[in-house]
Amino acid sequence: MGSFGEEELDEMVRDYIESDQSITPVSLMRTSKPLPRKSQSSLQDIILEAKDVETRVLDRVLMYVRGMGEPNSLKKWVVMRLQRDGYEASLCKTSWVSTFGRKKVFQFSGDYEYIDVMIVDDNTGNKARLILDMDFRSQFELARPTQTYKELMNTIPSIFLGTEDRLDKIISLLCSAAEESFKEKGLHIPPWRKAMYMRSKWLSENCKKVPVIPNPGLVDLGASDAGKSTACCSSIF
C-alpha cells in the first residue's frame, strides 16, 4: 500500500497540474452544468449568519493583525493576544490518513493547524466552539479555476471565524463548486479536493491542542492598537 506525506502530496499536486492529460476528458464522459449563480449569494448568506459574539471576536482578531504582516504566521501570537483579553483560545493541530483509488490501495497523511476559541452564546448562555483560520481562502484555491469559481473565491474571507456548522456548510458548497470547475475544465477531481478530505483539516476527530507558552514581549507587540476598533480590514478580505 502506498503512503504519502505532505511533501509527496505536494509533488503529486504539481505533477497533476503540470502533466499532459492523456485521459478521456470528464466533460466528454458526463455533461457538466455551469455552477448556478445563486451559489455565490448562498455563500454570502452563510458568511453573514455570524452571530454578534462571532463578529466581536473576529473584529478583535482583525485589530490584532492589522499592519502586522502575513496573518498565517501569527497564529501563536493571536492565541496569546486572545488569552490575554480573556478568551479561552488554543492552537489546534489535526492529523488524518485518507485512502483513495478504486480499491483504496493508496493512502496519504495530512495535518493542519488552526485556532480554537470557546465563547458563551449570547442567547443560550451555553459554551460554543469557534474555529479561527488565519489562511482560509488559500485552502480552496485551484490552479485552473473557471471564471465562475474565481468569482466565488472572491467571496471567501482570508480570515475565517465561525462555528463548526457554518464551516461545514461552506466546505460543502465550495467543494461542490470546485468539482464543477474541474469538470468544466475536463479534469478529474483529485481526492485531496473532495469534501471529506477538506473537512479533515478542521473537523478531524484526531485533534490535539498545542501548548502556547505566553511570551510577554510578543503579546505586547502591537498592543498600542488595542484601544482602536475596526469593523473590517480591507487587506484581510
Side-chain angles (χ1 to χ4, degrees), residues 50-60 161 231:
K51 297 180 180 179
D52 290 343
V53 63
E54 296 175 52
T55 303
R56 289 198 300 270
V57 177
L58 179 58
D59 285 349
R60 189 167 290 272
L161 183 136

Side-chain angles (χ1 to χ4, degrees), residues 25-34 179-180 183-184 186:
V26 176
S27 57
L28 298 180
M29 298 166 57
R30 177 179 173 183
T31 302
S32 174
K33 297 180 180 179
E179 182 176 345
E180 292 297 335
K183 289 177 181 177
E184 286 187 46

Side-chain angles (χ1 to χ4, degrees), residues 105-141:
V105 294
F106 297 104
Q107 69 176 27
F108 54 85
S109 59
D111 59 75
Y112 195 70
E113 281 189 349
Y114 62 88
I115 297 172
D116 171 290
V117 185
M118 299 300 296
I119 52 93
V120 177
D121 189 287
D122 291 334
N123 297 321
T124 65
N126 297 327
K127 272 194 171 184
R129 179 174 184 255
L130 301 180
I131 291 176
L132 170 60
D133 192 302
M134 305 297 292
D135 191 27
F136 189 65
R137 181 190 297 154
S138 69
Q139 305 307 311
F140 297 92
E141 291 177 348

Side-chain angles (χ1 to χ4, degrees), residues 142-189:
L142 302 182
R144 303 175 184 177
T146 59
Q147 183 59 38
T148 302
Y149 191 81
K150 287 180 182 178
E151 294 174 3
L152 193 62
M153 281 291 295
N154 291 333
T155 311
I156 307 173
S158 293
I159 295 179
F160 170 82
L161 183 136
T163 62
E164 292 181 344
D165 181 60
R166 273 209 305 139
L167 175 59
D168 191 46
K169 291 178 182 178
I170 291 174
I171 293 172
S172 296
L173 191 152
L174 290 176
C175 287
S176 177
E179 182 176 345
E180 292 297 335
S181 180
F182 276 113
K183 289 177 181 177
E184 286 187 46
K185 290 291 186 177
L187 300 171
H188 284 282
I189 306 162

Side-chain angles (χ1 to χ4, degrees), residues 39-97:
S39 292
Q40 188 168 350
S41 60
S42 298
L43 179 57
Q44 291 173 334
D45 290 341
I46 297 172
I47 292 173
L48 292 175
E49 285 178 4
K51 297 180 180 179
D52 290 343
V53 63
E54 296 175 52
T55 303
R56 289 198 300 270
V57 177
L58 179 58
D59 285 349
R60 189 167 290 272
V61 171
L62 295 179
M63 179 184 67
Y64 294 159
V65 302
R66 189 176 186 179
M68 295 298 293
E70 180 59 41
N72 190 44
S73 65
L74 301 173
K75 289 194 291 287
K76 290 184 179 180
W77 180 77
V78 169
V79 169
M80 288 188 285
R81 285 298 304 270
L82 285 168
Q83 291 175 344
R84 171 177 166 168
D85 288 346
Y87 289 97
E88 186 180 337
S90 306
L91 185 63
C92 295
K93 184 172 184 177
T94 54
S95 59
W96 64 92
V97 175

Side-chain angles (χ1 to χ4, degrees), residues 177-215:
E179 182 176 345
E180 292 297 335
S181 180
F182 276 113
K183 289 177 181 177
E184 286 187 46
K185 290 291 186 177
L187 300 171
H188 284 282
I189 306 162
W192 53 88
R193 286 299 184 184
K194 294 186 177 181
M196 182 178 294
Y197 180 91
M198 295 299 289
R199 284 191 181 95
S200 297
K201 291 187 175 186
W202 301 277
L203 306 176
S204 172
E205 293 182 357
N206 188 10
C207 176
K208 297 180 180 179
K209 293 191 176 183
V210 181
V212 176
I213 301 175
N215 185 326

